[in-house]
Amino acid sequence: MTNLSRRTLLLSLLAATALPAFDQQSWAQQQNSVPTPNPFRYEDVVRRARELAGVPFEAPVSQLPEPLNRLSFDDYRDIRFRTDKALLGGGGGPFRLQLFHLGFLYQRPVTVNVIRDGVPTPVAYQRELFDYGRNKIERPLPVNLGFAGFRLHYPLNDPKVLDELIAFLGASYFRFLGSDQKYGLSARGLAINVEGGEAEEFPHFREFWIEMPKPNDERAIIYALLDSPSVAGAYRFEIYPSKETTLDITATLFPRQPITNVGVAPLTSMYFEGENDRKPSDDFRLELHDSDGLLMQSGAGEWIWRPLRNPAKKTISSFSDNNPRGFGLMQRDRVFEHYQDLEAHYHQRPGYWVEPIGQWGEGWVELVEIPTPDETHDNIVAYWQPSRPYEPGQEVVISYRLRAASAIGAMHPGGKVVNTFQTPPRASGSNAPSDPRHRRFIVDFAGGNLAYYLNAPEQVQLVPSTSVGQITNTFIMPNPHTEGFRAAIDVKLEPGQSTDLRAFLRAGNRALTETWTYPWFVE
């Protein structure tokens, strides 16, 4: 734009000295009739995604130069962006942009653009942007090297300190934080074939555009172009930093081929061990997880809590619905003593809550649980699966709000599940071997209006059900330690059977709590 303006100015000056008065006026009219370029907008990314979907997918084939293509985890961690080189500060806004270097697992370059006054400009790779630590980079790296991703910083916890707010790194993964939160689970732009018979497909963001924030802006706007063998798409992220940072997300998808197994608003987390699913271990920490449950609000308004597990084999649970009101992977247990981890800060990890905007139609929330031998692997995935496949030639528009939730107790006004335990249903004082066909599930409900009924427990009823098998016994009692109630359900299954248990508390015809649900299988 600068060169064009100078060229126009020079031509105008030449015309003023060389042309008669009538021609000067004509020239001025011609110049005034030249349209100015429109500012870059989300519609431009949508257009690019539509065009991209019209051609076959091309996977990147370029290999990173030495030694970037063989960096270890520790080598890669030693490459740091120089904070004094952060971008976006020129606009006077509160956000700062830092970039991630390529290397280690991050072999696919992405293009990062900054939009200033409506004009996008790619950020050029410069060696001076990074401190390489002990890594020896002897040869110059190409100027078109690109980046692995980026992150935005913002004074989230202290007006004088720039904290990491959101990071995009790897495929379509991103993570973001609210105040006093630590990174745990991740979100993704899209998931394809997570639980299907074919290999999972990982769509990736190949290009980003970040609007230069103005001095008083308290939001950041990011556009992204998604690509994969099955689909191309445009994304818009509107980020509002706060105690529970919120993202307003719009995606416009253009399938290249029929997609029967698509995950919308996917979330990825880790669950290794908790009170409902203990593992033989000599670890002093009793619980190890980024999330401990899947929370849902159905289109009919029912709140459902499904505790997470680390199963012996891959397990898929589906919750059919029509126009869901919300779902998310939550870290409900926020008591430090339950984790005793001074480094991982599991008690400060957020939950991510997805709130659909508009009508999502029929489909189901799908939960995939994968066995993991330790806490270093993400093994939990949750997403919305629409009932109708996405077809080529279709333009799919999806909007939702994504929130980094800390105040889990404020999600809904009813009583909530605070503990889930399971044990053999032995008679008091008995040492007889337990029968593997029988299991007792103990559920603590607290919050909502439950404390009101502690002095009148006879008014509270347990409403249990099982899809298969037999409920042989139940009981309920006040729990003054949680200011709620403890319920127990004894279930009998035959070998080879599996069931889905459900239970909630009510008084008369009024539900007092969310619905607890849990699967059980007898080998």
Side-chain angles (χ1 to χ4, degrees):
M1 286 299 297
T2 302
N3 291 336
L4 179 60
S5 300
R6 289 176 178 172
R7 186 179 301 112
T8 302
L9 177 61
L10 289 172
L11 290 173
S12 299
L13 291 173
L14 289 172
T17 58
L19 298 177
F22 177 79
D23 289 334
Q24 292 178 29
Q25 184 179 4
S26 300
W27 176 262
Q29 291 174 348
Q30 293 176 25
Q31 293 306 299
N32 290 334
S33 66
V34 176
T36 57
N38 292 323
F40 188 88
R41 298 183 302 169
Y42 176 61
E43 289 74 15
D44 295 292
V45 188
V46 173
R47 175 181 50 79
R48 289 192 57 175
R50 184 184 296 111
E51 294 170 351
L52 190 62
V55 298
F57 173 76
E58 292 186 8
V61 294
S62 59
Q63 186 178 21
L64 292 181
E66 294 281 348
L68 299 181
N69 61 345
R70 51 182 176 81
L71 294 178
S72 68
F73 172 72
D74 290 332
D75 293 336
Y76 184 73
R77 288 185 62 188
D78 216 30
I79 302 177
R80 297 178 176 87
F81 189 88
R82 297 183 183 273
T83 57
D84 60 319
K85 304 291 186 182
L87 288 76
L88 304 186
F95 299 90
R96 296 294 182 271
L97 169 66
Q98 297 188 15
L99 299 147
F100 291 111
H101 207 287
L102 287 164
F104 185 51
L105 298 177
Y106 310 108
Q107 301 283 315
R108 175 181 283 144
V110 301
T111 302
V112 179
N113 303 273
V114 173
I115 305 172
R116 185 193 298 267
D117 298 327
V119 180
T121 303
V123 179
Y125 169 80
Q126 301 176 59
R127 181 169 179 160
E128 293 75 19
L129 294 175
F130 297 92
D131 179 351
Y132 288 86
R134 63 177 179 275
N135 293 287
K136 303 299 181 183
I137 311 294
E138 298 176 352
R139 297 181 180 180
L141 296 173
V143 294
N144 62 346
L145 180 65
F147 304 97
F150 69 94
R151 58 188 176 183
L152 292 184
H153 290 243
Y154 177 88
L156 197 57
N157 298 290
D158 187 314
K160 296 182 179 180
V161 178
L162 289 171
D163 304 292
E164 187 168 326
L165 170 68
I166 187 169
F168 290 83
L169 180 63
S172 66
Y173 284 86
F174 61 96
R175 302 194 295 178
F176 63 102
L177 294 171
S179 302
D180 300 318
Q181 295 177 350
K182 305 294 183 182
Y183 274 142
L185 80 168
S186 301
R188 281 194 265 174
L190 198 68
I192 296 178
N193 207 40
V194 174
E195 55 86 16
E198 302 176 1
E200 182 175 356
E201 181 176 314
F202 290 90
H204 67 279
F205 289 132
R206 57 184 292 170
E207 189 165 3
F208 294 94
W209 295 263
I210 304 155
E211 289 193 1
M212 173 72 75
K214 295 180 176 60
N216 296 321
D217 277 355
E218 289 301 322
R219 66 171 185 173
I221 297 178
I222 297 170
Y223 309 119
L225 181 64
L226 181 114
D227 198 15
S228 82
S230 297
V231 66
Y235 281 71
R236 184 182 190 273
F237 299 87
E238 197 165 338
I239 306 161
Y240 295 88
S242 69
K243 182 69 176 177
E244 295 189 329
T245 293
T246 300
L247 276 60
D248 285 347
I249 301 174
T250 297
T252 306
L253 305 175
F254 300 93
R256 284 190 171 97
Q257 59 191 36
I259 311 175
T260 58
N261 193 326
V262 60
V264 175
L267 308 174
T268 301
S269 191
M270 180 277 294
Y271 183 94
F272 175 60
E273 184 177 12
E275 77 270 1
N276 62 289
D277 189 16
R278 300 200 183 281
K279 306 298 179 190
S281 172
D282 59 358
D283 198 314
F284 72 95
R285 300 168 299 171
L286 297 178
E287 299 193 36
L288 299 168
H289 48 75
D290 291 334
S291 309
D292 56 7
L294 171 67
L295 181 65
M296 296 165 279
Q297 186 184 20
S298 71
E302 181 185 18
W303 288 89
I304 302 169
W305 175 256
R306 163 61 153 81
L308 297 179
R309 307 170 306 149
N310 180 8
K313 60 181 180 180
K314 183 177 179 180
T315 304
I316 300 166
S317 302
S318 300
F319 304 86
S320 296
D321 203 358
N322 186 16
N323 292 320
R325 300 188 189 183
F327 70 92
L329 293 175
M330 297 292 138
Q331 185 76 313
R332 183 168 277 183
D333 189 340
R334 299 197 164 271
V335 179
F336 167 78
E337 286 75 16
H338 295 173
Y339 303 97
Q340 292 291 347
D341 198 315
L342 294 172
E343 297 179 355
H345 302 284
Y346 286 116
H347 64 293
Q348 291 182 273
R349 305 208 169 186
Y352 285 171
W353 177 250
V354 177
E355 182 181 345
I357 299 175
Q359 303 293 301
W360 279 20
E362 295 182 350
W364 56 90
V365 175
E366 194 149 81
L367 173 66
V368 181
E369 298 169 300
I370 303 169
T372 181
D374 53 49
E375 63 188 295
T376 63
H377 299 86
D378 285 343
N379 65 319
I380 305 294
V381 187
Y383 49 83
W384 172 255
Q385 167 79 56
S387 60
R388 293 184 178 180
Y390 292 166
E391 300 290 347
Q394 183 181 10
E395 180 174 328
V396 181
V397 180
I398 303 162
S399 296
Y400 58 98
R401 183 165 290 125
L402 186 58
R403 176 159 60 98
S406 292
I408 306 299
M411 295 294 290
H412 66 83
K416 299 163 185 65
V417 177
V418 294
N419 291 308
T420 299
F421 307 101
Q422 52 178 301
T423 184
R426 293 190 181 95
S428 178
S430 172
N431 292 320
S434 60
D435 185 345
R437 298 175 302 167
H438 293 259
R439 199 71 175 163
R440 172 170 292 173
F441 294 88
I442 300 171
V443 185
D444 282 331
F445 293 94
N449 206 28
L450 291 179
Y452 173 80
Y453 291 94
L454 287 177
N455 292 327
E458 69 280 358
Q459 296 186 31
V460 178
Q461 296 174 297
L462 171 65
V463 185
S465 63
T466 181
S467 60
V468 177
Q470 180 183 2
I471 295 176
T472 59
N473 185 40
T474 65
F475 62 84
I476 183 173
M477 64 180 66
N479 185 345
H481 302 284
T482 63
E483 295 188 335
F485 286 82
R486 172 165 291 181
I489 307 166
D490 293 349
V491 185
K492 179 182 178 182
L493 281 183
E494 297 302 324
Q497 288 186 327
S498 61
T499 187
D500 288 310
L501 300 166
R502 289 169 62 93
F504 66 95
L505 303 184
R506 74 181 180 193
N509 293 324
R510 184 167 65 92
L512 297 176
T513 69
E514 64 192 10
T515 299
W516 168 87
T517 182
Y518 202 80
W520 183 45
F521 172 76
V522 177
E523 296 183 358

